[in-house]
Amino acid sequence: MVKMPTKQKTDGRRAAARLSKAERRAQLLITALAVVREEGTDRLSLGHLAERAGVSKPVAYDHFGDRSGLLIALYKWIDTERMNTFRNGLLSRNPARADAIEELATAYVGCAVDTSGEFHAVGAALAGSDEKADVLQELLDQAVAMFVAVLGPHCKLPPGELERRSIGLVGAGEALSMAVLRGTRSKADVTGTFSSMIAGCI
């Protein structure tokens, strides 16, 4: 789960002088997430973000360029954060093979069919943008990397073969998840099928 920003106790302009560019970008993204949660995506403009973060408008524009750039950055950041949280949590626990596969299938399908969270809301706001297709491919590539990281300790496949199979698994996961979203298959059935496919591939 992505952490919500804590209330700033110092003036935003003075805080800006103490943050690196990477730290400032992270602070702006956390604040943008808070805006989406509390006020909705329609309120997420660079001007409003700057006001909420306690920085000048040029700072926000310097990081994201325009509203579309902000939405894309936030969309990628939310997905990266939740993938990293899941992967790192799973790897730190070092579960048995069967448990790792089941958790991976459950988490992937669960995220793909969740239409109530901020990720879906920001994605809907990006609908029709020219950049969204490229962003989605980048997120799929991240998902493949996560599958490789999670499944690697539980199989003896060469790295290249594991990556190719992970590409196929991510594609299958997307197709199965779409069946849930269309209402033609249940989430439980799809998750069970996906777990079996993962086990069979490694």
Side-chain angles (χ1 to χ4, degrees):
M1 177 68 69
V2 180
K3 293 182 179 179
M4 287 289 288
T6 55
K7 187 176 181 181
Q8 292 184 0
K9 297 182 179 180
T10 58
D11 178 76
R13 302 293 174 82
R14 273 183 281 157
R18 297 196 298 270
L19 296 179
S20 68
K21 188 162 186 176
E23 291 169 335
R24 174 58 63 195
R25 182 181 177 85
Q27 184 236 356
L28 289 171
L29 288 170
I30 291 171
T31 304
L33 179 61
V35 171
V36 172
R37 284 180 175 171
E38 297 166 13
E39 305 177 62
T41 54
D42 288 345
R43 285 285 288 152
L44 186 58
S45 66
L46 288 172
H48 187 52
L49 173 62
E51 182 181 351
R52 284 284 303 261
V55 299
S56 64
K57 285 184 181 181
V59 171
Y61 278 91
D62 179 57
H63 279 276
F64 305 111
D66 54 22
R67 184 173 186 270
S68 179
L70 170 60
L71 287 169
I72 288 170
L74 183 59
Y75 194 63
K76 291 163 61 175
W77 181 73
I78 293 172
D79 195 62
T80 299
E81 286 291 306
R82 67 184 186 180
M83 278 196 189
N84 287 343
T85 298
F86 169 75
R87 181 192 63 209
N88 295 338
L90 191 65
L91 292 177
S92 68
R93 289 188 286 107
N94 191 28
R97 180 181 186 273
D99 292 334
I101 290 171
E102 182 179 356
E103 289 187 45
L104 179 59
T106 300
Y108 193 83
V109 173
C111 285
V113 303
D114 177 16
T115 60
S116 61
E118 297 86 4
F119 183 71
H120 179 75
V122 175
L126 277 169
S129 69
D130 294 335
E131 302 94 336
K132 189 174 181 181
D134 290 338
V135 173
L136 289 175
Q137 183 57 56
E138 184 176 336
L139 297 185
L140 289 175
D141 291 343
Q142 286 186 174
V144 169
M146 180 184 70
F147 271 63
V148 169
V150 170
L151 299 176
H154 303 286
C155 72
K156 297 180 180 180
L157 294 170
E161 182 62 23
L162 177 57
E163 181 181 27
R164 287 188 292 273
R165 294 190 187 193
S166 294
I167 291 170
L169 287 169
V170 168
E174 290 295 308
L176 287 167
S177 298
M178 283 304 300
V180 178
L181 289 171
R182 289 194 304 269
T184 60
R185 297 291 185 275
S186 72
K187 183 178 176 182
D189 285 347
V190 161
T191 301
T193 297
F194 196 30
S195 294
S196 297
M197 291 180 68
I198 295 171
C201 278
I202 65 170

